[in-house]
Amino acid sequence: MGLAATSLLAFLGGMALFFSNTFHLPWTGPARFILTGLVGPLTASLSAVVLLRLASRVPAAGARFVALAAVPAWALAATAAASWAVRFDEADANQGYSWFGSSTLLFMISGWITGTACVAVALYSLLASRRSHPVRLLQAVVLAAPLALILGAIMLMPPMVGTLGAMVLLVVALRQDMPAASRDVVPPRVVPREVVAPSRRVVGGSALGLLVVGLACAVFAVTGSTWAPIATDSTHAMNLGLAYGAFASIPLLVLAGRVLAPRLGPTTPWSVLLGCASMVVQGCAQLLGAGHTLQWNGILIAATLMGFAIALPLGGLVAGGRLTRITVVAMMGLAASVVGLPLVMMSAFLAPIGSAVLLVWALLAGSVRQPRLNS
């Protein structure tokens, strides 16, 4: 749990540096390499090895080798990324390359070989034992070589995948620590109450109206500059269309919350409230216009609110005491903001899709009685 939490905090720190206005400061580049290129993936790898060992999927000797080999593998990968960045800057300066900037390929190949050995040992233990030793070894190496390369390439990207992966590891580690009898069910914390979904006619009629409004906002965002006098240019039209689409998404979120409440449980109203707040902030940020100093900050706030809206229903997966649950759900909300960012930025174009899904659901539901749930 400690390793997974450390990994998640490292990826969150790297994500904050990546999206903040401090990204271009001299110290942020090395700090991000250390957080998302070494500390985050290394502690995530160690956490995964420990979980596999606790589940008796990897023998002790194999787990020790993987844990030890992960250190130089990720260190070489982070060094290769730093060497690439230095080489890029030296190419811009056009003053020749230093030994460090010229050694990118050497660091990359060394890290790839070490990472392949690390992953191959883990895969060898996970493959079916019915196969012969040479066949298992060959399969492990063939699978590990591209997988190690993919993991190294992911490290160079924005730390979104690593953040979500560390979050999954933390949840699994928390549930692994629970007694076996209580692992599947987390006791409810609220007084049971009956939640009833709205009728299909209400959902269908509302979804149809929201679909028309959502399509109008999306069309205005793309073509409004050619026919709407309030749009001075295509950028202004896009900002207005995204703002109107974000505001139009609010009743859609309320309707979707009503439909999903019997399945998601008592946290649904809070998730809907956070989602609506996210759309309000997103709409206001778009009304500020492209180039405004506060627009990007507003979008990041909207993404964070949407992340918490996504994370709240998943809180039932978290095991532990109240403080542990609150802390982990807060971390889940920050991690889910990597999903919330594209959701809020594309909300004007995603809203018609959501309305269409609700409309189809209402049409297919027919006269079937809506589900009820004691939550």
Side-chain angles (χ1 to χ4, degrees), residues 4 17 21 42 59-60 106 109 118 121-123 147 179 258-259 272 283 291 367:
L17 291 177
N21 293 328
L42 175 59
L106 175 62
I109 294 176
C118 179
V121 171
L123 290 178
L147 183 57
R258 290 288 308 279
V259 172
V272 171
S367 58

Side-chain angles (χ1 to χ4, degrees), residues 37 65 69-81 103-121 123 140-156:
F65 177 85
V71 178
W74 285 116
L76 287 168
T79 306
S103 303
T104 302
L105 189 60
L106 175 62
F107 294 132
M108 187 180 299
I109 294 176
S110 301
W112 183 24
I113 294 174
T114 310
T116 299
C118 179
V119 177
V121 171
L123 290 178
V141 174
V142 170
L143 292 174
L147 183 57
L149 191 62
I150 292 172
L151 290 174
I154 290 175
M155 183 204 69
L156 297 175

Side-chain angles (χ1 to χ4, degrees), residues 12 20 24 40 75-76 85 113 116 153-154 186 192 236 266 306 333 345 356 358 365:
L12 288 174
S20 68
H24 297 289
L76 287 168
I113 294 174
T116 299
I154 290 175
V186 177
H236 189 211
M306 185 60 71
M345 294 186 69
L358 286 178

Side-chain angles (χ1 to χ4, degrees), residues 10-361:
F11 280 118
L12 288 174
M15 188 172 65
L17 291 177
F18 183 81
F19 289 113
S20 68
N21 293 328
T22 63
F23 180 71
H24 297 289
L25 296 178
W27 58 270
T28 56
R32 192 168 69 88
F33 282 130
I34 293 173
L35 290 174
T36 64
L38 181 59
V39 177
L42 175 59
T43 50
S45 301
L46 296 177
S47 177
V49 171
V50 172
L51 288 173
L52 290 174
R53 177 61 189 145
L54 290 175
S56 300
R57 300 299 302 276
V58 178
R64 282 194 294 267
F65 177 85
V66 174
L68 291 175
V71 178
W74 285 116
L76 287 168
T79 306
S83 175
W84 176 273
V86 170
R87 182 181 179 88
F88 191 87
D89 292 337
E90 291 173 346
D92 284 344
N94 197 23
Q95 296 179 354
Y97 298 111
S98 64
W99 70 269
F100 186 73
S102 303
S103 303
T104 302
L105 189 60
L106 175 62
F107 294 132
M108 187 180 299
I109 294 176
S110 301
W112 183 24
I113 294 174
T114 310
T116 299
C118 179
V119 177
V121 171
L123 290 178
Y124 179 84
S125 303
L126 296 174
L127 291 173
S129 59
R130 292 190 300 271
R131 298 182 176 90
S132 63
H133 172 73
V135 173
R136 290 173 65 191
L137 182 61
L138 179 61
Q139 287 180 330
V141 174
V142 170
L143 292 174
L147 183 57
L149 191 62
I150 292 172
L151 290 174
I154 290 175
M155 183 204 69
L156 297 175
M157 301 177 184
M160 297 182 178
V161 177
T163 302
L164 297 177
M167 189 67 255
V168 172
L169 284 173
L170 180 57
V171 173
V172 173
L174 286 167
R175 295 180 70 81
Q176 183 75 23
D177 197 52
M178 293 178 64
S182 59
R183 217 172 264 167
D184 296 330
V185 179
V186 177
R189 311 285 188 186
V190 297
V191 178
R193 63 183 179 86
E194 188 179 72
V195 180
V196 182
S199 67
R200 69 176 187 89
R201 292 185 178 180
V202 173
V203 174
S206 302
L208 180 60
L210 292 173
L211 176 61
V212 174
V213 175
L215 287 174
C217 295
V219 170
F220 182 90
V222 176
T223 66
S225 60
T226 61
W227 54 270
I230 61 173
T232 56
D233 52 38
S234 58
T235 302
H236 189 211
M238 179 63 71
N239 287 143
L240 292 177
L242 293 177
Y244 299 153
F247 293 139
S249 301
I250 294 176
L252 175 63
L253 290 174
V254 174
L255 182 64
R258 290 288 308 279
V259 172
L260 295 175
R263 295 170 177 83
L264 297 183
T267 61
T268 306
W270 295 105
S271 293
V272 171
L273 181 62
L274 287 170
C276 293
S278 173
M279 290 297 95
V280 170
V281 175
Q282 164 69 0
C284 294
Q286 293 300 328
L287 288 178
L288 293 175
H292 196 282
T293 55
L294 296 179
Q295 188 187 57
W296 180 242
N297 294 331
I299 294 174
L300 292 179
I301 293 173
T304 304
L305 291 172
M306 185 60 71
F308 278 93
I310 297 171
L312 274 183
L314 301 178
L317 300 175
V318 179
R322 173 170 296 186
L323 180 60
T324 300
R325 289 167 59 87
I326 293 175
T327 303
V328 174
V329 170
M331 296 173 70
M332 289 177 68
L334 294 174
S337 62
V338 303
V339 179
L341 182 60
L343 288 179
V344 298
M345 294 186 69
M346 298 296 294
S347 57
F349 302 100
L350 295 176
I353 299 177
S355 300
V357 170
L358 286 178
L359 179 59
V360 171
W361 175 85

